[in-house]
Amino acid sequence: MRLIVTNIATLVCDCQRKQRLQGEEMARLDTIDDAYLLVEDGKVAAFGKMEELPAEGVNADEEVDARGCMVLPSWCDPHTHIVYAGSREGEFVDKIRGLSYAEIARRGGGILNSADLLHTLSEDELLEQSMVRVREVMAKGTGCVEIKSGYGLNTADELKMLRVVRRIKESVPMHVSATFLGAHAVGRNYTKPQYIELLINEMIPEVGREQLAEYIDVFCDEGFFTPDETARILEAGAKWGMKPKIHADELAASGGVKVAIDHGALSVDHLERITDAEIEMLRQSATIPTGLPGTSFFLNMPYAPLRKMIDAGCGVAIASDYNPGSTPSGDMKFAVSLACIKMRLLPAEAINAATLNAACAMGQSHNHGSIAVGKQANFYITARPIPSVDFIPYAYTTPIVGKAYIGGFRVE
Ligand code: NIG
Ligand code: FE
């Protein structure tokens, strides 16, 4: 199957072929004006100037005329909790009235509320509710996503969540990575030591045996799990080949960055309260700092200092954190706008953070995150001609996606 997209005003493509962009490299976006893009069997086969196309054509099965619109790589979203039950707008109102996210959690709401709701749903019902959001993000231009468990908080419900993730994986063209986040909070009816034993001796082995997760996450933060507890949980996951991706420094400087790096984490996420010493540690490591600007926006919290991290030479990613409590949105374009407006990233830096570096934060940048020959053909054609790439974060509520393609197939 060959698909050709012609008359692209500007194609944002990848000529550098790096797995991850660091520091100053993040401000570079390669573009070709008046371009075509050729897709073969779901992968990018070629791209270039329209004038380089052979006069006799390329014998494509389908031709799409971009009519002067722009083509960009699909978003990659390396941190979501998209599988969840119901919603938590009651807490949204509580927060407006003055309660903080941490206070709501201390009163037994928050994550535990979502766990109670999830417990009442069958696997099929949970899948149905989650698929609404999965379809929504694909239509908004996301082509690769990570999904965490963590609203089960007992063995049966954690497995239920991860089986739903597996069914999503099997039913959509988008790449889905699964992360076991049993250590999201202490489940009701357990003491913390009991819950950690359950995680290590029961949940992780069951998830491992069923091969339900590639990654393991811990909410390493004040009021949740300590660095020592995190280390024990990560070591148990490592025995089953689960690589860490960590929540850290959201509510306090938690020590999570060091434990993440020490355990070879792919990414460490949130980082709203990161210290300068931790930035230096990250600069020297392969662990990717991942900012979640939508979370700071929704919770009215400080934003992670991604500008400072890039200036220090780090390569950063951004993600939506789509979840019912702290970020009920999977809109990556809005996350990119927030990264520009609130974190002072240049549009090119924010787009790279939400595409190539985001793919890298889920171990997928060999195959995703940019329009490069041989990679999955995940891209979108803008809804109308736009003056420049910078227009995308600038027009922060204007829908950008006209036609989205994943693996060369049109997302309806
Ligand atoms: O990444 N901070 C921890 N976990 C989620 C929120 C979970 C929830 O409130 O339901 C987050 O923000
Ligand atoms: Fe999260």
Side-chain angles (χ1 to χ4, degrees):
M1 164 77 185
R2 277 157 82 87
L3 162 77
I4 185 150
V5 186
T6 54
N7 300 317
I8 303 169
T10 304
L11 173 72
V12 175
C13 55
D14 179 1
C15 303
Q16 301 190 75
R17 301 305 307 250
K18 294 217 161 95
Q19 297 291 309
R20 170 187 181 178
L21 300 170
Q22 308 252 142
E24 286 175 2
E25 295 167 348
M26 288 199 65
R28 171 171 161 185
L29 268 184
D30 297 326
T31 56
I32 300 177
D33 290 340
D34 195 20
Y36 74 90
L37 170 65
L38 181 67
V39 174
E40 208 168 318
D41 298 330
K43 294 189 189 293
V44 174
F47 53 77
K49 295 282 261 184
M50 277 302 286
E51 66 203 32
E52 292 160 7
L53 270 180
E56 68 277 13
V58 291
N59 201 15
D61 302 290
E62 191 187 340
E63 179 173 341
V64 178
D65 186 341
R67 295 169 185 271
C69 292
M70 207 178 270
V71 169
L72 292 107
S74 304
W75 308 122
C76 296
D77 192 349
H79 180 140
T80 84
H81 311 248
I82 216 168
V83 170
Y84 62 79
S87 54
R88 302 212 315 256
E89 65 278 9
E91 289 172 16
F92 171 65
V93 177
D94 290 342
K95 279 181 266 195
I96 295 169
R97 292 208 161 101
L99 282 188
S100 73
Y101 180 82
E103 277 160 351
I104 291 169
R106 269 198 300 277
R107 292 174 185 205
I111 295 167
L112 294 179
N113 244 335
S114 288
D116 293 343
L117 284 171
L118 187 134
H119 183 69
T120 65
L121 295 189
S122 69
E123 194 181 300
D124 286 347
E125 288 165 331
L126 184 59
L127 177 66
E128 197 183 310
Q129 289 195 13
S130 306
M131 277 305 291
V132 174
R133 293 182 284 272
V134 169
R135 284 191 212 99
E136 175 207 328
V137 300
M138 289 196 300
K140 281 182 183 282
T142 297
C144 183
V145 74
E146 181 254 19
I147 307 179
K148 300 174 192 298
S149 69
Y151 293 120
L153 308 183
N154 63 52
T155 307
D157 289 334
E158 283 295 312
L159 292 173
K160 176 164 79 184
M161 285 190 80
L162 289 171
R163 289 183 190 128
V164 166
V165 176
R166 184 163 63 191
R167 286 170 69 183
I168 293 172
K169 215 185 261 206
E170 288 164 358
S171 64
V172 297
M174 172 165 72
H175 175 89
V176 177
S177 293
T179 300
F180 173 62
L181 175 57
H184 199 190
V186 174
R188 281 202 210 280
N189 310 321
Y190 298 100
T191 63
K192 200 181 200 194
Q194 282 171 342
Y195 189 69
I196 292 174
E197 290 316 308
L198 184 77
L199 278 167
I200 292 174
N201 297 322
E202 191 174 292
M203 290 194 206
I204 290 172
E206 296 234 5
V207 171
R209 265 192 291 277
E210 266 194 62
Q211 298 188 340
L212 287 168
E214 307 144 67
Y215 303 121
I216 182 161
D217 192 348
V218 177
F219 189 7
C220 180
D221 223 316
E222 195 175 83
F224 290 83
F225 294 89
T226 66
D228 285 347
E229 291 160 352
T230 303
R232 279 188 66 205
I233 296 162
L234 297 184
E235 277 150 31
K239 293 196 183 122
W240 293 91
M242 294 175 212
K243 221 172 147 67
K245 278 173 72 68
I246 302 291
H247 280 73
D249 286 359
E250 175 185 358
L251 308 172
S254 66
V257 170
K258 182 166 186 325
V259 81
I261 294 172
D262 288 349
H263 289 80
L266 205 50
S267 73
V268 60
D269 307 15
H270 272 290
L271 307 175
E272 291 85 353
R273 324 268 173 178
I274 192 170
T275 63
D276 287 352
E278 288 176 318
I279 294 178
E280 182 51 25
M281 279 187 241
L282 280 168
R283 194 181 63 78
Q284 294 180 30
S285 84
T287 301
I288 302 192
T290 300
L292 310 171
T295 311
S296 298
F297 172 76
F298 189 76
L299 294 183
N300 255 324
M301 281 194 330
Y303 286 78
L306 295 195
R307 172 77 272 145
K308 203 174 186 179
M309 295 183 206
I310 296 173
D311 291 344
C314 296
V316 307
I318 58 175
S320 74
D321 198 18
Y322 201 168
N323 78 76
S326 72
T327 330
S329 161
D331 190 324
M332 285 298 285
K333 175 180 178 281
F334 185 54
V336 165
S337 289
L338 287 175
C340 295
I341 299 162
K342 298 292 191 180
M343 295 168 154
R344 315 314 294 170
L345 267 59
L346 297 169
E349 291 172 328
I351 290 171
N352 278 322
T355 54
L356 188 69
N357 281 7
C360 192
M362 56 182 130
Q364 287 299 322
S365 59
H366 57 288
N367 218 6
H368 290 276
S370 62
I371 297 176
V373 173
K375 283 196 182 184
Q376 286 294 307
N378 294 358
F379 61 92
Y380 62 89
I381 306 174
T382 58
R384 56 191 62 83
I386 56 171
S388 69
V389 167
D390 298 350
F391 181 86
I392 295 172
Y394 154 83
Y396 72 98
T397 59
T398 303
I400 197 69
V401 176
K403 294 175 179 154
Y405 291 81
I406 300 180
F409 285 106
R410 172 88 191 268
V411 177
E412 295 301 339

